[in-house]
């Protein structure tokens, strides 16, 4: 029997995937979400105090981040983009008592919303908040010899800076470390060739670059606003 010829992407059928409407989303939350009062109250405080409250991670995403940090047995985490600290709280809880989460942001007012909740959860001593442009802090860490010492990195900040954050976080990650990159679909705009703005163009460029980057194992998940997992390969 002759071999089946390879079909190019343009000829492959589009698979039908489940669309998560409100009813299904509520069901997923009902049967899988384990959000406690502290995390729930932080989300409520964000909604009531910050106009841009939709920038916060969803509870399902926070739970996924906590799951991944624990699965990696991570001891050192870098978070690029804190906002009000919901994802910070979730990841810090998954760290051991002597673990460290280095949280990078520039807006102290937003971060201050999260601080009391970090305290209430008993994880404030695991969080080191660095308030300056994230690239500066990442460069300082590399200059201080932190390359190859980070177990887990989460990027959720200004999209135009993603290529810079990716390169620096990859250098900081140990071989076998995991990077999670948020908002890689940008509400689907990256898939619309007639749509262009600086954030979308930057994200498209990063997504295309990652596909060809042999330094990482790659999986893009079409959940939330698109999440890419990049696992740093060990070099021979």
């Amino acid at each position: 029997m002759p071999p089946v010829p390879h079909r190019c992407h343009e000829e492959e059928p589009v698979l039908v995937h489940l669309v998560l409407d409100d009813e299904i989303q509520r069901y997923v939350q009902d049967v899988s979400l384990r959000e406690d009062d502290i995390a729930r109250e932080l989300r409520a405080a964000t909604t009531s105090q910050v106009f841009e409250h939709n920038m916060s991670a969803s509870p399902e995403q926070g739970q996924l981040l906590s799951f991944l940090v624990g699965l990696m047995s991570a001891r050192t985490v870098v978070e690029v983009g804190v906002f009000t600290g919901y994802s910070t709280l979730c990841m810090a809880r998954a760290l051991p008592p002597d673990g460290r989460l280095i949280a990078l942001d520039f807006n102290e007012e937003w971060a201050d919303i999260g601080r009391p909740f970090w305290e209430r959860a008993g994880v404030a001593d695991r969080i080191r908040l660095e308030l300056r442009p994230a690239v500066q802090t990442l460069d300082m860490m590399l200059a201080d010899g932190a390359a190859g010492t980070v177990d887990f990195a989460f990027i959720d900040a200004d999209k135009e800076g993603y290529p810079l954050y990716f390169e620096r976080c990859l250098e900081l990650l140990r071989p076998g470390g995991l990077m999670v990159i948020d908002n890689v679909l940008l509400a689907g705009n990256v898939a619309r060739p007639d749509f262009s703005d600086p954030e979308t163009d930057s994200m498209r460029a990063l997504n295309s670059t990652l596909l060809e980057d042999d330094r990482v194992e790659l999986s893009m998940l079409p959940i939330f606003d698109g999440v890419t997992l990049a696992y740093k390969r060990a070099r021979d």
Side-chain angles (χ1 to χ4, degrees):
M1 182 176 180
V4 177
H6 174 70
R7 299 177 63 175
C8 67
H9 294 298
E10 289 79 11
E11 296 175 346
E12 291 175 357
V14 176
L15 300 178
V16 177
H17 296 286
L18 182 67
V19 176
L20 294 183
D21 59 21
D22 290 344
E23 183 178 28
I24 297 174
Q25 188 66 40
R26 283 193 297 271
Y27 176 79
V28 170
Q29 293 175 343
D30 289 344
V31 301
S32 70
L33 185 60
R34 296 175 174 177
E35 184 183 41
D36 71 351
D37 289 343
I38 296 175
R40 190 177 301 110
E41 290 169 20
L42 174 51
R43 284 199 299 115
T46 300
T47 299
S48 64
Q49 298 181 48
V50 184
F51 175 76
E52 302 92 341
H53 58 83
N54 60 347
M55 290 168 52
S56 182
S58 69
E60 296 91 342
Q61 187 173 20
Q63 185 165 299
L64 174 63
L65 291 169
S66 177
F67 178 88
L68 292 173
V69 169
L71 187 66
M72 295 290 295
S73 298
R75 304 182 71 85
T76 304
V77 172
V78 169
E79 179 181 31
V80 183
V82 175
F83 192 43
T84 62
Y86 184 85
S87 54
T88 315
L89 170 66
C90 294
M91 291 188 288
R93 283 177 151 178
L95 288 170
D98 61 345
R100 178 61 56 87
L101 193 159
I102 304 153
L104 282 53
D105 211 305
F106 64 91
N107 190 317
E108 187 169 11
E109 181 180 357
W110 286 347
D112 281 345
I113 295 173
R115 289 181 194 265
F117 298 92
W118 302 344
E119 294 281 355
R120 286 176 54 193
V123 297
D125 60 343
R126 305 176 195 176
I127 300 168
R128 190 180 90 203
L129 182 64
E130 299 284 353
L131 292 167
R132 66 178 67 84
V135 168
Q136 291 183 18
T137 302
L138 295 170
D139 284 343
M140 289 167 58
M141 293 176 65
L142 290 168
D144 288 342
T149 66
V150 171
D151 302 302
F152 187 95
F154 177 50
I155 299 177
D156 183 17
D158 62 290
K159 310 315 172 204
E160 293 177 65
Y162 269 34
L164 300 176
Y165 305 145
F166 169 77
E167 287 297 334
R168 286 158 173 79
C169 285
L170 187 63
E171 190 173 351
L172 287 167
L173 279 180
R174 62 169 172 81
L178 180 65
M179 191 187 315
V180 178
I181 308 171
D182 198 18
N183 303 118
V184 296
L185 295 180
L186 284 181
N189 288 334
V190 291
R192 301 183 178 107
D194 58 339
F195 187 93
S196 177
D197 64 19
E199 288 195 343
T200 304
D201 295 343
S202 176
M203 188 62 71
R204 281 198 194 103
L206 178 62
N207 290 340
S208 298
T209 298
L210 285 176
L211 178 62
E212 306 299 332
D213 195 328
D214 64 1
R215 297 172 297 175
V216 296
E217 299 287 352
L218 184 68
S219 179
M220 180 186 284
L221 307 178
I223 57 176
F224 313 122
D225 190 30
V227 175
T228 288
L229 308 182
Y231 176 87
K232 184 175 180 177
R233 288 174 167 169
R235 291 295 187 181
D236 296 333

